[in-house]
Structure formats: C-alpha cells, structure tokens
Amino acid sequence: MDQLSGLNPQQQQAMTVGGGPVLVLAGPGSGKTRVLTHRLAYLLGPLGVKPYNLMAVTFTNKAARQMEAQLEALLGHAPRGLTLGTFHATCARLLRREAQHMPFDANFVIFDDDDQRGLVKRILKEQNIDEKMHRPQAVHGRISRAKNELLLPADYPKISYRDEVVSRVYERYQQMLLSANALDFDDLLLYTAQLLEGNPEVREKYARRYEHVLVDEFQDTNQAQYLLLKHLASRHRNIFVVGDTDQSIYRWRGADYRNIQRFEADFPDAQVILLEQNYRSRQNILDAAMAVIKPNTHRTHKQLFSELGKGEKLTVQETFDGREEGAFIVNTIALGVAKGAEPGDYAVMYRTNAQSRQIEEAFLHASLPYKLVGAQRFYGRREIKDVLAYLRVVHNPADEPSLLRVINTPTRKIGAKTLSALRTLASNEKIALSAALLDLANGEGSQYYDAFSPAAARALVSFGKLLAGWTAEAPGMSSLQLLDKILADIDYQSYLDDGTEEGLDRWDNVLELRRLATEYDDQTLGDFLERIALVSDQDTLDDKANAPTLLTLHAAKGLEFPQVFIVGLEDGTLPHARSFDDVEAMEEERRLFYVGITRAKNRLYLLHSANRRTFGYSEPTDPSRYLEDVPDKLVEGGNPVLAGRPTRTVRVDQWAPPAEASVPILQPDYQAGMQVRHPTWGEGMVLNSKIEDGEEIVDVFFEDIGLKKLAASLARLELI
DNA sequence: GCATCGGATTTTTTT
DNA sequence: AATCCGATGC
C-alpha cells in the first residue's frame, strides 16, 4: 500500500513526522481527519506500533467511527485494542478500570443535564436558597466551569455572596453525586486528570502504555483535558495535536484555545506544521470566510486557498420574517432539486435550537422530508428518561434521582408523604432508599413494614417486589430482555396510551429506544447506558437518508455540505444578544459564523429576516454586523447590507410557486423486482414504489402474509 | 394523592 | 409559544 498517495507535502510531513510533540495548525477543509487517520495507519503499519500503545481522541463518536472505518480501509484490517474515542468515553472507560482508586465504584452512572440540574435544585431547596436569586442552571454552570478549570469545592474563590452560595452548593453537589455512585460529564475529565496527577503509579502505567497520543480539535480542549493529556504523554512525549484557533467555539464550556499556546510553552521543542490548502470549498466561499474572521484579534492569518475555482457568488437575502425565511429555504431547495441537485446536498444552520421550529414547519408544509440533528430531542423526552431511569436503578441501586423518578411512574400511590417517611427511615437506618425498598419486598416479614401506614406499606412492598425481581434477574439478561421485562411489568404501554396522538408518539419513542437496545444487545447494561449518556448530537445524523439537514452552527463543526444556508443573521441572534457585553464572547460568535461559512463546498446562502419572533413577540431586527464584512464583490448583485444599498426584501408568500418546483423532488429508492427483507415479515419482493405526500410508499409481496403497503422511511427494509 | 388552572419564565451554544 | 411551577380544589 502506498500510504503517501493522495496527500500533499504538508499532509505527508504531518503523517510521517518523527516522534516528539507536534502541533498541526489546520485550516477548515484542509484534511485534518485524513491526516490523523493516515498518521495512525503510518504508526501502526510501517512503524509497527502496537494498537494497544496508541490513543486517539476525537470530539464526537461519529468522528471516531469515521476514523475507525478509514483506518480499516488503509490497513486492510481493523486494528484491535486501539484506544480511539471521545474524551468523555475514553475517560469513562479508564475510570471504570481504575475504580479501586476512586471514591466511586466501577458501575457508576453518568448523569445527564437534567439529572445535574435536578440535583442542584434539590440542594438549593435543602439549603433554603432562593431559586429566583440563584437559578439552578446558572449555579450549575458555575460549578461546571469550575470543574473544567480544575477548581475543587475547597478551592472555589469566595469573593461575592454569590460565590459563597455556589461554593456551598458545589460541595454538596459532589457529595450527592458520590452517594448516588454517579458522575457528571465534567467529572469524567476532572477525576481522570486528578487520578493521573495524584497517583504516580497509575500515571506511569498509562504514560508507559501510550507511546503515541493523538488529539483532534485541540482548540476546544479545556484545562482538565489539557492536564490529562499532558500526563498521558509525560513518558514518551509523542503527542500529536491538531487544531485551529479560528474554529474554537466552546469557550463557554471551559474550552481554552490558549491551550495551543500552552502547548507551545510546555513543549518548546514542538514541531509546528501548517495546513492551509483547502479541499472543500470554492474560492469565493473561502474569501468570504477570511474577510469575516479577519477583524478578530490575537490570531495569525491563514491564507486559505483552493484549487476548485471561484465558484458561484454568495447570496445575501433578507426576508420579512421567520416564516418567509423558511419558505425561501424550501423554495430554493425545491428549485435546486428540480434542476438536478440532491436534497441531501443541503444544510440549514442556525444559532439557537429554537430557530429550528419555524424551519421545520416550512419543510412540513411543503411535505419535504428533512433530517434534524440533535440527540437531546430524543433522549430528553419524558418517556425515554423514565425507561432509562428504570434501567439505571437496576444497574446502580444507589442512583437515587432515578429511583425517585420511577417510584411513582406510573402512579402507585406513593406520594410525597410516603416518600418522606421512606426517606426518614432510610436516613435513620443509614441505608439507601433502594435497600429499604428491597427489604420491604419481603412484605410483612420486613423489619421496616411497621414504619408505614398499612396503605403506604402495601404500595412500597409491591414496588419493592418489582425492583427485587429485576435486580435478581438482570445479571442473566441482556439489556433488551430486561427492558422488555420492565415494560411488561409496569405495563408502560397502557400508561402512555391516553387515547391521544401524543400518547402513541410516546410509545413509538419507547419502541425506538427498544430498537437501539437491540443494536447493543451484545453489550452489558452498563455499556448500553454509557453509550446513551455520551451520544453527541452529530452521532444521531443519518448519513443514508437523502434529505436536507437542519442543525445548529455548533453541531455543524467538522461537517461539510455542497449547499449551505446560514439563517437568522441578525444582531441579537448571531451575534447572540447574550454575548454583546463580552468582547471575547463576541469574537467567539464571529468564529461561529466562520465555522458555518466554511462548511459550504459550492454554494452559500446568508439569510436575515427583517422581523424576528422571540418569546412570542415579533420585533424588527438589524442585519448581523458580521454581514457587513462580507465583501461586496463576492455577493450576487452586491452585498445589500453595505451602506447605501436599498434592501431587497422578498415576500416569498406572494411568489407563485415556481413551475419546476411542483415536480416531486423525491425519487423512489425502491423499484419493482427488488428483493427485500423486513424485520418481522421476512423476505419479499417489491411490486411497486411511488412518492405520495413526500413519503415513499412501497408495495411489497411477502411469501407468508401477502401484499403490504409500507412507508419506506418507517419500515426498516433491507435490500437483499 | 392527584388533576387542573393560571401565571411566570424562558433561549445560547453541548459532551 | 411552550413549558414549568405552585396553588387550589376534589
């Protein structure tokens, strides 16, 4: 295999550079991921490094999976034993392995956002702190920030009264997490960094093991991540990091692009390699990107260049309001598709998740399918959280928040009063709530039975029996079997089915979770739960569906699309109003815009709307100040935002739908004669397929049950 | 113990 | 606009 094939000289240099610290400064589209994968292949192949001695960290699981696949293609086989994953997943694995050194045990659960906020809330209540004055989210934000900066509760600076409160809550928060045998996202990094810092034996073990450490998106590492990398590389000093300060967009969660400077200071012998050639975008797009990022301070200019030609000019368009913005997008896509573009070529990017709704409505209205990136949308749902909470309690009985969530869902007549009695009992006996419940499962034989009123005792006993049953059977069951048993035991389907459409939707979501469990059925319950806790938004992206993608600018990092819309380019939205009074935050907003621009390969649409609705009120807006930095000559018809030009608001509503747009823009994926397999009905033959209301409807003849009409997007058909 | 209603509050971005 | 919270009534 010629490993050097297809790489430019700088990329080759990065791939084959000798040992020691290496810093690759890579502009957008310069083939960062390619370089990382090729370097891994180079180390594993020609240099003969064992997979076991390599670590590569990425920011999303998707990126990790992509690298894995490319690596397999380069090597001809899948390397076994390679440490490749996100920071969080890698740390979680390490902590489980080293749990004997930690104040928690190996089957800890990972608390998500909701759990974290819920915990803070409980503490605020417990300590009689006014939630109005100290918003749970804000308090948690400060705690999270402290952890990212390696500040422990004891070291938390107490300058103001607010600090005093945060510090008190922080301390209790850590206690409560430990007592639930739980870690939050930040803990995964913090504890790992602490372990490596404080325990020389463990540090040596891993520092010896990892002969090479490779890091993607280095500009978005925080202090905890930096410290742990430093320790991991302390023995061999072969640390290879790739980053771009201009794409640093996670300052608010502790990321510190100054880590790049820190790296150069800590490793003065670091070799620096610059990747400037862009293989993604047309030159017009790169010129716009450079012009937009230029006003930022403290940056070294990168001359982005492309050999793909100038390409088409950009479109800067004002619409009347958000509704028309959606209509403009949908019309433009319909027109483009009618002229031969693929629906999947398009992406729509926005600053805040709330903006997606109106865009979705426009797509729904036009019966156009779309893909929405965002894991939270699924995993944050009540029914999903409920079911996961059951699994979590069985996996880790110490998880009190989950226990409290499920103990009365569906309702079992265990209300506030009974709960507080149970709590009192548990704290008097110094046992966990779950332990008390498991004992109560013995009915009248339980030593705790008489501590409750007869009705309360009965309710607790029956729940205790359920819990005891699951806990006893779980070890011999797969996640899927356990899930099914729980769903059946609590009759969750009838609980959800309240006769409304929404109830059915909720049950569908549970079935979707069940499908996910099927995928991970060969893994342990702990792996399954961890997997779910650490999914990133990008991980939910379905590459196969040929439909436009809707996503936030943050979620767009690392991705590319032939045609890109960046919408809501108004002062207050991008830059976001919350950033106005902070110079650094404003620079980050600009970088966010830059990241969005550089996602586009061929065509870029910049949209702003004269009126924007927030909190239910529609208000006039000003175009984003960043639009003024887009050079006149790069924009079709000139940049309308520049002084002296009349605005040209289109009223899309009044457009006659373009004739071409009425052509169905979906092409059937199936055609008559194809052999397919359905998960329940087995093999069959496609008799016909057509597009109806934006859905592909396939007629399939199954041997056993005959003719069925199926929606291609829902039935999980598999081509044979 | 549970359902309903009205009012307040919310939106930045995510592993 | 949508969700969350607390108070009220059953």
Side-chain angles (χ1 to χ4, degrees):
Chain A
M1 169 189 57
D2 178 10
Q3 289 204 341
L4 299 176
S5 65
L7 295 186
N8 71 27
Q10 290 76 33
Q11 292 175 330
Q12 282 179 32
Q13 189 199 351
M15 166 181 145
T16 58
V17 65
V22 179
L23 170 62
V24 179
L25 295 173
S30 61
K32 265 184 315 149
T33 316
R34 258 174 77 81
V35 164
L36 273 170
T37 340
H38 276 79
R39 172 138 184 103
L40 278 175
Y42 175 75
L43 294 170
L44 290 167
L47 290 201
V49 179
K50 297 219 165 40
Y52 177 79
N53 299 116
L54 275 186
M55 171 187 277
V57 256
T58 59
F59 251 72
T60 64
N61 297 297
K62 186 187 157 81
R65 274 202 310 268
Q66 259 174 16
M67 278 176 66
E68 212 164 17
Q70 286 176 23
L71 198 54
E72 190 177 340
L74 283 173
L75 293 171
H77 62 271
R80 293 179 58 88
L82 184 70
T83 307
L84 168 64
T86 64
F87 265 107
H88 289 87
T90 307
C91 288
R93 227 157 298 143
L94 192 149
L95 289 174
R96 287 191 205 283
R97 215 177 303 132
E98 303 297 335
Q100 75 271 19
H101 304 295
M102 308 305 296
F104 43 81
D105 59 59
N107 62 342
F108 64 82
V109 290
I110 298 165
F111 271 13
D112 67 20
D113 250 5
D114 263 14
D115 305 322
Q116 295 171 30
R117 209 168 352 109
L119 207 55
V120 170
K121 241 177 163 170
R122 245 179 82 189
I123 297 167
L124 291 174
K125 242 187 217 119
E126 177 189 286
Q127 306 200 352
N128 284 320
I129 299 166
D130 184 6
E131 280 192 39
K132 296 261 151 57
M133 290 284 290
H134 304 276
R135 291 251 153 64
Q137 241 174 337
V139 175
H140 177 256
R142 278 160 192 274
I143 295 175
S144 168
R145 196 59 181 264
K147 290 185 175 185
N148 293 156
E149 288 168 13
L150 298 162
L151 271 179
L152 300 180
D155 311 325
Y156 195 87
K158 290 173 216 153
I159 297 158
S160 61
Y161 174 67
R162 181 176 294 272
D163 296 335
E164 176 74 37
V165 170
V166 172
S167 146
R168 241 167 48 218
V169 177
Y170 183 10
E171 180 145 22
R172 182 86 181 107
Y173 177 77
Q174 287 309 87
Q175 276 174 11
M176 304 259 286
L177 279 171
L178 286 181
S179 73
N181 194 29
L183 271 64
D184 68 12
F185 294 127
D186 305 313
D187 283 340
L188 293 171
L189 309 174
L190 179 65
Y191 279 120
T192 310
Q194 267 185 345
L195 174 67
L196 294 174
E197 169 103 0
N199 190 322
E201 271 165 54
V202 176
R203 177 172 65 233
E204 264 310 284
K205 176 166 136 196
Y206 288 98
R208 266 176 208 281
R209 167 170 173 184
Y210 292 118
E211 293 171 15
H212 290 267
V213 177
L214 291 81
V215 188
D216 195 8
E217 308 279 14
F218 186 65
Q219 76 283 354
D220 281 325
T221 51
N222 60 34
Q223 290 193 43
Q225 287 162 326
Y226 184 80
L227 182 67
L228 72 92
L229 285 174
K230 214 171 112 179
H231 285 312
L232 285 173
S234 58
R235 180 103 200 155
H236 301 287
R237 295 184 85 251
N238 294 324
I239 178 160
F240 182 97
V241 305
V242 184
D244 178 8
T245 42
D246 288 337
Q247 294 186 64
S248 162
I249 52 173
Y250 286 104
R251 191 186 81 107
W252 50 274
R253 69 174 205 207
D256 190 349
Y257 65 89
R258 277 168 306 194
N259 277 346
I260 292 191
Q261 282 128 46
R262 229 167 255 151
F263 184 85
E264 290 184 283
D266 284 346
F267 302 99
D269 55 329
Q271 303 192 56
V272 180
I273 297 170
L274 220 67
L275 302 181
E276 288 181 303
Q277 178 163 3
N278 178 293
Y279 295 92
R280 175 187 296 151
S281 310
R282 304 301 189 114
Q283 192 63 45
N284 278 344
I285 290 168
L286 295 180
D287 286 347
M290 284 189 286
V292 162
I293 197 68
K294 200 165 179 193
N296 266 6
T297 54
H298 307 301
R299 59 178 294 276
T300 36
H301 179 71
K302 276 193 292 298
Q303 190 61 35
L304 305 177
F305 64 99
S306 155
E307 288 172 357
L308 299 170
K310 277 181 128 20
E312 285 178 74
K313 290 192 173 181
L314 282 59
T315 298
V316 175
Q317 182 63 58
E318 175 172 85
T319 58
F320 178 74
D321 60 11
R323 214 167 72 85
E324 297 211 345
E325 184 177 72
F328 179 87
I329 296 166
V330 167
N331 282 339
T332 308
I333 294 179
L335 210 60
V337 171
K339 287 182 184 158
E342 293 291 331
D345 286 352
Y346 292 90
V348 184
M349 302 174 185
Y350 35 82
R351 177 66 176 83
T352 67
N353 284 306
Q355 288 169 262
S356 77
R357 187 177 301 262
Q358 274 197 318
I359 302 163
E360 285 182 75
E361 275 167 14
F363 276 86
L364 289 171
H365 184 71
S367 311
L368 286 182
Y370 61 89
K371 299 184 274 186
L372 187 82
V373 178
Q376 226 17 56
R377 278 214 148 52
F378 181 71
Y379 293 102
R381 290 189 140 89
R382 196 176 67 222
E383 60 278 17
I384 299 302
K385 297 220 66 179
D386 283 350
V387 177
L388 287 175
Y390 274 100
L391 292 175
R392 277 165 42 160
V393 170
V394 176
H395 176 65
N396 170 30
D399 184 350
E400 209 176 283
S402 291
L403 178 68
L404 293 173
R405 179 178 189 104
V406 301
I407 196 167
N408 204 29
T409 314
T411 51
R412 304 187 173 89
K413 299 199 190 300
I414 302 176
K417 250 190 163 153
T418 311
L419 264 182
S420 98
L422 181 68
R423 271 224 178 93
T424 312
L425 171 92
S427 81
N428 285 345
E429 302 285 327
K430 296 203 168 34
I431 55 170
L433 291 188
S434 52
L437 281 166
L438 289 176
D439 195 273
L440 280 161
N442 298 319
E444 291 183 39
S446 165
Q447 51 182 315
Y448 306 134
Y449 192 87
D450 295 331
F452 301 94
S453 72
R458 244 176 285 129
L460 290 173
V461 166
S462 90
F463 181 71
K465 279 185 172 153
L466 284 174
L467 191 60
W470 301 324
T471 312
E473 289 186 51
M477 283 178 146
S478 71
S479 312
L480 180 66
Q481 287 169 322
L482 177 64
L483 179 62
D484 279 341
K485 173 142 180 61
I486 291 173
L487 290 176
D489 284 352
I490 65 178
D491 199 6
Y492 199 60
Q493 183 172 12
S494 23
Y495 166 71
L496 288 180
D497 184 11
D498 54 0
T500 64
E501 182 100 8
E502 199 192 338
L504 294 174
D505 279 350
R506 288 186 188 282
W507 179 244
D508 276 348
N509 288 327
V510 174
L511 290 181
E512 175 62 21
L513 181 70
R514 198 184 164 278
R515 199 188 59 73
L516 262 157
T518 337
E519 262 177 52
Y520 295 109
D521 211 30
D522 52 336
Q523 297 183 5
T524 65
L525 177 58
D527 289 337
F528 177 58
L529 290 173
E530 178 174 313
R531 195 81 196 195
I532 284 171
L534 296 179
V535 279
S536 73
D537 275 353
Q538 275 189 16
D539 298 334
T540 60
L541 217 158
D542 174 6
D543 295 319
K544 275 166 280 170
N546 185 11
T549 305
L550 274 49
L551 74 180
T552 63
L553 286 161
H554 282 89
K557 190 167 78 153
L559 304 177
E560 60 177 30
F561 301 90
Q563 312 213 41
V564 168
F565 295 87
I566 302 178
V567 307
L569 282 163
E570 298 121 36
D571 261 23
T573 304
L574 183 74
H576 197 273
R578 297 278 272 252
S579 302
F580 281 163
D581 50 3
D582 180 341
V583 181
E584 293 221 26
M586 285 300 274
E587 295 210 340
E588 182 148 306
E589 297 284 315
R590 193 182 275 282
R591 291 195 290 270
L592 202 46
F593 186 29
Y594 174 80
V595 166
I597 294 174
T598 53
R599 298 309 97 197
K601 294 163 93 162
N602 301 325
R603 195 78 170 79
L604 181 61
Y605 298 87
L606 304 176
L607 268 48
H608 69 102
S609 157
N611 300 282
R612 177 74 51 191
R613 201 174 53 194
T614 22
F615 303 140
Y617 296 102
S618 187
E619 292 200 325
T621 62
D622 292 323
S624 168
R625 59 193 74 186
Y626 304 145
L627 276 176
E628 293 168 15
D629 297 316
V630 177
D632 205 46
K633 62 177 197 302
L634 297 178
V635 180
E636 216 175 73
N639 184 350
V641 171
L642 291 174
R645 290 189 177 274
T647 53
R648 298 164 309 183
T649 308
V650 275
R651 296 301 304 255
V652 185
D653 263 4
Q654 291 153 19
W655 282 11
E660 301 98 310
S662 58
V663 177
I665 72 159
L666 259 187
Q667 294 301 318
D669 286 332
Y670 297 90
Q671 32 177 298
M674 284 176 165
Q675 297 284 337
V676 293
R677 182 180 292 117
H678 185 275
T680 34
W681 298 323
E683 292 184 14
M685 190 208 263
V686 176
L687 297 182
N688 185 29
S689 184
K690 55 184 181 296
I691 304 294
E692 273 178 22
D693 295 330
E695 271 270 72
E696 178 173 2
I697 305 296
V698 199
D699 297 343
V700 185
F701 186 83
F702 292 98
E703 277 171 30
D704 295 327
I705 46 163
L707 184 68
K708 280 271 166 195
K709 272 190 185 306
L710 304 166
S713 60
L714 297 176
R716 295 181 300 280
L717 289 178
E718 208 188 306
L719 277 182
I720 312 180

